[in-house]
Amino acid sequence: MAVTKGHGNPRWTRDEVILALELYQSCHGQIPGPADDRVRKLSEELRSFPHHAQAARQPSFRNPDGVAFKLQNLRAVHIGVGLNNTSKTDREVWSEFGLDPQLTSELAGVIRHSLEVVDLLPNFDDEEVFAEGKAATMVHIRRERSAKLRKELIASRLKVGELSCDLCKTDGSNVDLKIRESMFECHHVVPLSVTGEIKTKVKDVALLCASCHRLLHRAMVTSKRWFTVEEAKKCFFS
Ligand SMILES: [Zn+2]
Ligand SMILES: [Zn+2]
C-alpha cells in the first residue's frame, strides 16, 4: 500500500476529498495503485489546485502515492475497517455522499467549474464552507459582494417601496436614512449546483439584513444543504 505519512503535507480539503471520492466510487471496490492513469490524472489535477500555499507543495504533495492512499482511506471508511488513518473530512464526506455517486459527480463538476471562474480568497474560514466545498462557496460570496449588483438591487427595491429584509422584514426605520441602506446585503439565491449562468441578475438575489444573511449562511453550513429564503424562514425563525 502506498504510504505518505510523515511528509507533513497539508490536510486534504473537503473539495479534494470529494474529487477523490468520485474516483473511488467509479472503481467499484477495485482500488487502483499509484501507477494507474486515473490516479496520476487526479494527482496532477490536485497539484494544480489553488487550495494550498505554494510553499506547502513538496514533491510528495498529492502525488500518485498520496492519491492512492486517500482511496484506501475512503475504502476504510466505507467498510469500517482500518479507520486510524482516516480524517474527519474523509468521514464527513463519506457520510454525506459515499452512497450517492451521482451527487458526488455533480459536486465534483461544481468544484471544477468554480475553480475555473474564481480565485480562492486567502484566510477564508473553513467553518464558512457550504456542502459544495470551498471553491463553490467562494463563487457564491464573490457574486453577492459585487457592489454593482447591490446598487442595482437596492435601486430596484426603492422604486417600489422602502428597503426591508426578505427574511425578518426589518426595515431599519429606527436608523437614520443616510446610513440605513448599509444594513442590507445581497444574497445569491440560485443554488451553487446551478453552474451554467455566471452573470448574476437582480432577480437572482435576495435583500437581507446583515444579521439574517449571516444566519442563513450558517444554517447552510451546519445543515450541509441549500436553503431558500422561504425554507430558512420556516426552519429557523418563529
Ligand atoms: Zn433580516
Ligand atoms: Zn449569501
Side-chain angles (χ1 to χ4, degrees):
M1 190 202 291
V3 174
T4 56
K5 285 192 79 163
H7 285 288
N9 283 316
R11 264 188 245 158
W12 285 61
T13 63
R14 183 179 175 87
D15 304 59
E16 292 174 310
V17 175
I18 290 171
L19 294 194
L21 177 63
E22 186 193 30
L23 175 54
Y24 174 80
Q25 287 166 335
S26 74
C27 298
H28 304 290
Q30 303 288 323
I31 308 295
D36 186 277
D37 278 349
R38 293 165 296 175
V39 172
R40 303 187 85 83
K41 200 169 146 229
L42 181 56
S43 161
E44 266 170 42
E45 187 178 16
L46 295 177
R47 286 182 62 82
S48 71
F49 267 27
H51 286 73
H52 304 286
Q54 209 60 35
R57 298 174 191 216
Q58 313 170 58
S60 63
F61 172 77
R62 306 300 183 252
N63 65 8
D65 280 355
V67 171
F69 191 63
K70 181 54 67 181
L71 296 176
Q72 298 287 355
N73 294 158
L74 289 169
R75 181 164 186 273
V77 180
H78 183 184
I79 63 176
V81 175
L83 294 165
N84 288 351
N85 289 317
T86 63
S87 70
K88 183 165 166 257
T89 308
D90 296 344
R91 294 188 293 275
E92 276 176 7
V93 168
W94 178 267
S95 75
E96 288 167 55
F97 318 116
L99 300 176
D100 194 340
Q102 198 188 329
L103 183 54
T104 307
S105 135
E106 277 171 27
L107 284 173
V110 170
I111 290 165
R112 291 193 173 100
H113 177 85
S114 302
L115 285 168
E116 278 171 26
V117 298
V118 76
D119 292 326
L120 296 183
L121 302 169
N123 307 323
F124 184 77
D125 188 344
D126 281 346
E127 288 183 5
E128 293 172 54
V129 173
F130 298 149
E132 292 84 348
K134 194 168 188 166
T137 304
M138 299 281 167
V139 171
H140 174 94
I141 288 171
R142 194 187 66 162
R143 282 174 175 170
E144 60 190 25
R145 281 191 190 160
S146 153
K148 183 170 169 278
L149 180 67
R150 186 171 172 279
K151 262 188 204 148
E152 282 172 17
L153 177 65
I154 286 177
S156 84
R157 296 289 177 104
L158 284 172
K159 255 188 222 162
V160 290
E162 294 296 320
L163 299 179
S164 70
C165 171
D166 293 349
L167 229 166
C168 71
K169 301 296 173 204
T170 188
D171 59 5
S173 51
N174 56 332
V175 177
D176 190 311
L177 194 56
K178 285 199 287 293
I179 56 169
R180 195 180 295 167
E181 73 157 59
S182 69
M183 294 173 58
F184 299 99
E185 300 179 349
C186 291
H187 170 69
H188 201 277
V189 296
V190 180
L192 293 159
S193 52
V194 179
T195 53
E197 181 63 60
I198 297 303
K199 176 124 180 49
T200 304
K201 303 190 183 82
V202 165
K203 70 171 173 52
D204 299 330
V205 277
L207 187 70
L208 298 179
C209 72
S211 166
C212 284
H213 195 191
R214 204 181 178 85
L215 288 168
L216 178 55
H217 277 214
R218 183 46 58 94
M220 294 200 289
V221 170
T222 54
S223 311
K224 298 214 164 58
R225 53 161 287 215
W226 185 265
F227 282 98
T228 64
V229 172
E230 285 307 313
E231 279 175 321
K233 206 183 285 179
K234 275 195 210 121
C235 298
F236 297 98
F237 288 75
S238 51

